[in-house]
Amino acid sequence: MEAAEEKLLLFTMENRPLATCAGDQALFSSVYSILMQQLPREPMEWRRSYGRPPKMIHLEANFVQFKEELIPKEGNRALLTFPFLHIFWTDCCDTEVYKSTAKDEITKWQNILKAYSSSDWLIVVVESDAKKKNKTNILPRTSIVDKIRNDFCNKQSDRCVVLSDPLKDSARTQESWNAFFAKLRTLLLMSFTKNLGKFEDDMRTMREKRTEAGWSFSEYFMVQEELAFVFEMLQQYEDALVQYDELDALFTQYVVNYGAGDGANWLTSFCQPVRSWNGLVLRKPIDMEKRELIQKSQATLLDLRSYLFSRQCTLLVLLQRPWEVAQRALQLLHNCVQELKLLEVSVPIGALDCWVFLSCLEVLQRIEGCCDRAQLENNCCHTVGLWSYATEKLKSLGYLCGLVTEKGPDSEDLNRTVDVLAGLGAERPETANSPQSPYKTLNEALSSVEAFEKHYLDLSDAAIDMFKTIGRFRSAQLLGKDLADFYMQKGEPEKAEGYLQEALSTYLSEGWPLLIAHTRKQLAECQNRLQQTENYLQTSSLLAADSCLPDRERTHFCQEILRLARQSAGDQVEQLLLPMQGFAQLRSLRFEPAGAVVHVGGDLTLELTIYSLMPIPVPLDYFSIHLHLASNKDNVKRSSEVAGKGRNATGIIVFPSEPTGPCCPRTSQPGIELYELHDRSPSDNSLNSSGIICKNVHLLLRRQGSSTSIERSAGLVLEDSAHTLRTSVVLLQPGLNTVLFKTQAKDTGTYTLRQLSASLGCVQFTLSHIYPIVQYEVYSQEPQLKVEPVTDNLLAGISQRVKFTIHTGHYTVRSGDALQLSITDTLPILHSASTTALVSTNSGDKLSEAPLTIQSSGKITSISLPLAPAYHLIEFDLHVICHIPSTLPTPPDSEKPSADVRGARRGHEKAKPEVPCMTSIDQKISIDCPWSIYSTLISLTFEIPFSASHSLLSAGRRKYLQVCVHNLSEVGFQLFDPQLMDIGNSSHLNFVSLNSVQQQHIYSRQVTFFLWELTWSEETGPSLHCQFSVAFTPVMGQEHGSTRPYTYQLKLDNFQSLYDIKAEILPPLGLDMCKMGTLCNLEVSIMRLSDLTEVDRDEALSESDGYCTTRLMYEVVDDSSNWAVCGKSSGMISMPVVARATHKVHMEVMPLFAGFLPFPDIKLFKYLPFQACPAGQMDVAADSWMENDTLSLERPADEQTESSSLRSRGSTHSSGSGEHKALPLPRLSPFCTGQVYNTSTFRQILVVPCQDDHMLEVSVT
Amino acid sequence: MLASCDSLTHDADDHVRRRKMAVCVAVIAKENYPLYIKTVPTENELKFHYTVHTSLDVVEEKISAVGKALVDQRELYLGLLYPTEDYKVYGYVTNTKVKFVIVVDSSNIALRDNEIRSMFRKLHNSYTDVMCNPFYNPGEVIQSKVFDNMVSGMMVQVC
């Protein structure tokens, strides 16, 4: 087999299986075109051996003239040139001719085939009507076909086919063609199956021998590739690819085994040093040069790999899987690099880089060549790896050849460049004419610094763009960092900065401490070269604080800061503001005083705990705190609020500390700060809506990408504020430091700590916000005087303690300052030698105690104050006594309002309603203070501890007066010397005291009674006005009793008895006792006790002939239903107004129960005629009386007040109720207490039960 | 195996008979910050940090691709993330989106996929143990000695 011939075959892309044609060549030529055309038209199912799935296959074939040389000899494994089918063509239709020539030809042909043991043959007999007509001696029964079959196809009758009139267009012709093609295809496939199967078997046998010595991979490679070629020829690309993949895997396995120490001899041939590195060749379907090298066992590892990949690539492109090419290419390139290492192949410096670079570009261009633009863009995820790999390799080549320097390559670099380019050899002819090829690109890139930059940037940009397109930002940033390196090397730091910043922001947001530190270091270098002092300082501070860096580097950066700060300070450069985060951390803050509230002029100390992140001590010029002052009006209120707000008693505020170690991105995300919101309507303060507000939403919702990294000091502004606190020079040690700020408070208001800054030369490290909010309060206070009782309430009449509290505020009490008290006589101040004043600080620390000097002159009492500095407290107690006023004009339950005396219900709300309340007295004190020209008016309320009431008691005509004193206070008293005096003008009245003891104890909330008998020497007036007085002292304690007694004025009207009522119940006649259910006689005798008096002169009185009579009405009422009054229970009598005039009335009553029954009530009223009044008023009065009748009768008690109230009630009703009845009625008027004396009140009479009553009713109550 | 795999990396310790399994093991939190990174040799630490960080690109790509598939059929092992000339980077993601990344020396061709998978399984088990420790706050850097020892064992295996 000549190589030339094979080459010829291979280069014609139209490789087809070979079929030979023998016999009548002219005949064959006539049908050749139809044959070529029709054969592939219909697919044929190809059943495969070894369980491979059957495939539909379109058969094609090349038909060549039969030559003996075409048939391969035994042992030749060439498959491509293997004739799969031998066809003999004949159109012999004459027996004679057949016998003479055709048979011999066929025999000869057959013999050759037999000699080569080829059994794939076919005899085609072409029948033609034209020929038949010419020949007359046709034997119709025995056709030529039959003869041939007989002669040659002894068992395989199907090896001979008839083609009838192949060139005619008839149904018969078509039929015969179809049959022919079916046969042809079947036979071809049979041949394929048989021959390929045999080939594969041979190949496998060969492969099994690979462990034997002398086995050659190259040889085997050629054999298996032959199979691949055939599959490719049959358009079975998948199968062809499998062959190459198997070869690939086999080789790889050998390399791996070599690595494991199991080296094969043949492998050494691949370990030749790399001399040529011109990259992959993918433009040709078959790289014959490389194939030849493999065949000759001269191929290097790169040659073999290149060739294998170029074949795989060709097949993958044919299979329309270009992306797999890209994927496999990357694997291949990585793998080759590893294999060269593993096989310890010596590789010149830069050679592999060149090879990889060229290969990447070649693969990319190959893919570009078979895809359109849109496809490429959509699939850049597959190619981007190659792009970045090429970039990486070009970069390393650039560094190698000295192209990435500011100066450009030196001679050594140029020598190296020449060496590297030498290995490329000459450009391949197939790309020589194209404007750009990997070869040209590399040559150009290495030719000059500028060209290199251009190509490198092109590649980098392309790769970065692709990475970004497919969302691989980290990869893009890593490439960007390479670019930054490149620019830094080139001396163009301004271009590098952006890339570094971008990468850094990602590392920061994702929290990779090592990467942050490294990138920052690069950035620092970049900024240093760019003379960006501020940024450089900032980055340096962050680096100096970075615990990921070794101490040496941290110290270096720290010293850089110090150097620059000092240096720039000399140049009078403006202040540089840097964030404090990278320098130090504010850990805690402590206020002294702890409440963080100071008065004007007071001292305030702030103790800051600052954690320095610097590795070495840093001498700072000063620390300063910038304050914001909000002056608020209501200082007092605010200060209490602030003091109570989230501040512990120690005054320490701890700031949330950021972790000093590896920074976590979680902490960079600020916590949500939520606040309550209440929206109230401005008019009525009602709640419109309420909700929660996120205060730092701008921080939380900010876009991640645009987050300003702390590398850029954007937005850091030092607030100019008039209020700053400043320290002196501080040496900030690494770690925790304590910094003290001392200040004296000046202006009042709330000071908010806004910014903290540390000044170092021209550099100010500033903490732009201090959070949580820290405030302190400076307040100014007016002097204040407060007077309040020591006890809950003050009692009048006894000595009480009153506490004076003076807040000096801004006023300093000097010697001679005194309080001037103007007091009324009723409120004397009790002097006491032991009175002392206590001076203490505002916070309650006791300072001193000084005796008070109290001087009284007239109404003015002067109290000299002890010396006290501003913002101090003076406290002292005074004893005062409030005299109970001698006249309490109205009883406490009077509804009449009074200026001085008012009904106080304080403390008695829970008490029973009938318990009277203490009457209170307001006492006003006017105090002149030394600090003010205005007087302070202070009102003290005293309560009178007693209340008194009286009642008139009668016995016939004798009268007694009882006074009840009620102690309303909590204190017990001794009462003594009770006196009753007449203060009216009736001097003929005597009070005979019936009080046995002179001193009486009255406990808290108890009552005590005093009794006098009234005697008179002559008839007195209708009213009596007298005053009760009793002296008292408190039982407990040493309080002084009042010098004045408690007095009570009382007035009695019409207290003398006018009538005496006597009732008698008599049992019925014949009975000793009253009996239940039987009527008894009730005899009521009403007797006039006095002659005509002033009292009787009213409307009921009628006078005739010197005799006066008055009209009375009696009424018998039994409230307890013990009696049934039979007949008239009431009646009107006319009573002569003469002493001892008696009127008797008889009635019948029936006891309803047995036992001692009280007598029924007998009531007596004045009967007033109706005409005495104006008509309308009288009507109403009577009417209303009737209405109120039952009420008044049911309430026999309190008659003294009842009578008056009844009247008043009647009159009030008169105005409201209008006309009610047309019929006028006479009026009834009750008598005053004491005017009617009922002798038989409370008398009882025994009533016996009736005999036949066998029912016993027992009621238990 | 008699010869050392290190022979081709031109290391000085050619004679030490050990086989490198992994050169870098990393545990990365859901938010993509490192919970744990260990590398041998330590002088290349920075490079591995970059490698691991960059590999997150592919991890995210794979996770989002897997996310489209059925949830319960999720395969935790992400396979080879990307090969470089010198290293192969493998990824694994837990159901809580904690990522494990193992970097293997490319020269270690003999390492099979199954071995990588079992390494990840071991890593996952050990990580689960760390999480079960009541004194460990999820999200904190892993400082467990047990975990560290396990990873160390994974990185250098003496033959």
Side-chain angles (χ1 to χ4, degrees), chain A residues 241-254:
Chain A
L241 188 60
V242 167
Q243 306 311 315
Y244 285 109
D245 288 349
E246 279 179 15
L247 282 169
D248 197 339
L250 186 65
F251 187 76
T252 306
Q253 191 54 51
Y254 268 99

Side-chain angles (χ1 to χ4, degrees), chain B residues 36 38 144-154:
Chain B
Y36 179 90
K38 191 184 178 74
S144 156
K145 277 223 172 84
V146 178
F147 188 78
D148 195 60
N149 289 340
M150 190 278 306
V151 173
S152 301
M154 202 179 265

Side-chain angles (χ1 to χ4, degrees), chain A residues 256 334 337-338 341-342 344 389 393 470 472-475 478 481 507 510-512 514-515 518-519 665-666, chain B residues 8 28 32-34 37 45-46 49-50 52-54 56-58 60-61 83-86 106-107 109 139:
Chain A
V256 170
H334 289 146
V337 173
Q338 285 303 322
K341 275 190 198 168
L342 200 63
E344 296 170 296
Y389 199 21
K393 287 299 163 188
I470 59 172
R472 295 192 184 180
F473 291 100
R474 298 177 189 86
S475 310
L478 197 61
K481 279 198 66 209
Y507 301 147
E510 294 191 340
W512 288 70
L514 224 58
L515 305 188
H518 179 244
T519 311
R666 288 164 300 150
Chain B
L8 293 166
I28 296 147
N32 286 344
Y33 63 91
I37 286 199
E45 197 182 3
L46 182 66
H49 276 241
Y50 275 118
V52 171
H53 181 253
T54 313
L56 290 178
D57 272 340
V58 191
E60 283 183 350
E61 219 170 83
T84 65
E85 208 172 278
D86 304 317
S106 283
S107 63
I109 305 175

Side-chain angles (χ1 to χ4, degrees), chain A residues 9 14-22 25 28-29 31-40 59-67 70 83-89 122 124 177 180-181 184-185 188:
Chain A
L9 274 164
E14 309 199 349
N15 271 339
R16 282 166 190 163
L18 216 56
T20 63
C21 299
Q25 290 299 318
F28 169 68
S29 304
V31 296
Y32 177 73
S33 60
I34 304 174
L35 207 55
M36 290 300 282
Q37 196 188 344
Q38 295 290 326
L39 183 60
L59 282 170
E60 281 181 286
N62 267 344
F63 296 93
V64 296
Q65 199 181 346
F66 179 76
K67 285 174 194 158
L70 282 176
F84 285 98
L85 191 62
H86 305 280
I87 309 171
F88 193 89
W89 294 85
L122 177 70
V124 184
W177 266 119
F180 168 74
F181 277 124
L184 184 59
R185 285 180 191 126
L188 265 174

Side-chain angles (χ1 to χ4, degrees), chain B residues 81-127:
Chain B
L81 298 179
Y82 73 97
T84 65
E85 208 172 278
D86 304 317
Y87 303 103
K88 290 196 175 94
V89 186
Y90 294 90
Y92 183 94
V93 64
T94 69
N95 285 321
T96 50
K97 298 279 178 291
V98 172
K99 294 122 190 162
F100 300 142
V101 172
I102 293 180
V103 183
V104 176
D105 204 308
S106 283
S107 63
N108 202 346
I109 305 175
L111 207 60
R112 297 192 180 278
D113 208 43
N114 264 345
E115 292 178 72
I116 302 282
R117 275 176 193 266
S118 78
M119 280 163 83
F120 275 124
R121 257 197 302 279
K122 254 169 84 181
L123 202 59
H124 197 168
N125 287 339
S126 202
Y127 174 73

